[in-house]
Amino acid sequence: MSEVKLAAEIRTEFGKGAARRVRRENKVPGVLYGHGSDPVHITLPGHALLLALRTSNVLLAVDVEGKTELAIPKAVQRDAIRGSLEHVDLLIVKRGEKVNVEIPVHTEGELAPGAYLVEHVLNALPVEAEATHIPESVTVSIAGLAAGDSILAKDVPLPSGTTLAVEDDTVVLQVLAAQAEEPSAEAEAEGEAGAEA
């Protein structure tokens, strides 16, 4: 996992008005906290932060007044309509330290023949990993699975140094039989009318 360097500025004004002014300058208000240190209120460059957050659990090297802190995003608030960044909470981490994060689960392969659906019970798998080696995602094979089959947390192949942060028998995804849609009363009536004609 690569580090993304971001230059932050200390934020001294608070409240909605101050946050709006920060956003108008294409910056994002945030808080940097962890390891027993007092929370530091900062602003970050909006576009660079948006690009960095495209990678889940990205490792950020945040430069605050000449001091660089490693951090991972803990909470990201977005505008519900525009999707723009409103605020970000960053958790300070140290090299070699283990952290609990959630990593996306992807699937590969084809299900057994038949009309089946894959239900993702967990879209992201809770794991414990070294802060500077957080996997971007995990991939599980669904090849040959049929209705009623499921994949448990213990079945998911994890990279070296990563361990589960949930019970082994937690269902990650399951295969369901596709439900045939019931024809509506109108469709049945049209079908009968067509048959009589």
Side-chain angles (χ1 to χ4, degrees):
M1 166 180 282
S2 59
E3 293 174 19
V4 177
K5 292 180 170 57
L6 292 175
E9 298 168 8
I10 297 288
R11 186 162 47 104
T12 54
E13 292 184 312
F14 305 99
K16 287 186 179 177
R20 281 194 200 102
R21 280 193 295 278
V22 167
R23 289 186 204 107
R24 273 198 300 270
E25 295 171 7
N26 194 24
K27 295 179 181 175
V28 179
V31 178
L32 186 64
Y33 65 94
H35 282 277
S37 60
D38 290 333
V40 179
H41 297 273
I42 56 175
T43 61
L44 295 155
H47 185 68
L49 181 61
L50 188 65
L51 292 176
L53 292 177
R54 287 185 176 170
T55 303
S56 64
N57 300 310
V58 65
L59 185 65
L60 301 172
V62 182
D63 181 18
V64 185
E65 296 185 333
K67 183 182 178 188
T68 301
E69 296 279 12
L70 290 179
I72 57 173
K74 209 58 186 165
V76 178
Q77 295 171 12
R78 295 178 184 269
D79 182 278
I81 296 167
R82 294 192 305 269
S84 57
L85 296 174
E86 295 279 303
H87 190 274
V88 64
D89 290 358
L90 302 176
L91 177 66
I92 296 171
V93 295
K94 303 290 182 199
R95 291 188 192 282
E97 173 188 16
K98 294 272 190 175
V99 292
N100 285 339
V101 293
E102 293 188 348
I103 53 176
V105 177
H106 300 298
T107 58
E108 65 181 7
E110 296 290 322
L111 293 172
Y116 302 124
L117 300 171
V118 176
E119 178 190 16
H120 284 261
V121 179
L122 293 179
N123 284 320
L125 184 67
V127 298
E128 184 181 70
E130 205 258 298
T132 55
H133 293 92
I134 298 172
E136 288 186 22
S137 64
V138 289
T139 303
V140 293
S141 173
I142 57 171
L145 297 183
D149 291 340
S150 59
I151 293 190
L152 305 179
K154 66 182 177 185
D155 302 326
V156 177
L158 295 175
S160 172
T162 304
T163 56
L164 289 173
V166 292
E167 296 294 324
D168 285 355
D169 58 356
T170 302
V171 176
V172 177
L173 57 87
Q174 57 191 4
V175 181
L176 308 173
Q179 300 291 320
E181 285 189 29
E182 292 289 323
S184 65
E186 284 180 20
E188 284 183 5
E190 287 173 9
E192 287 172 9
E196 287 172 6

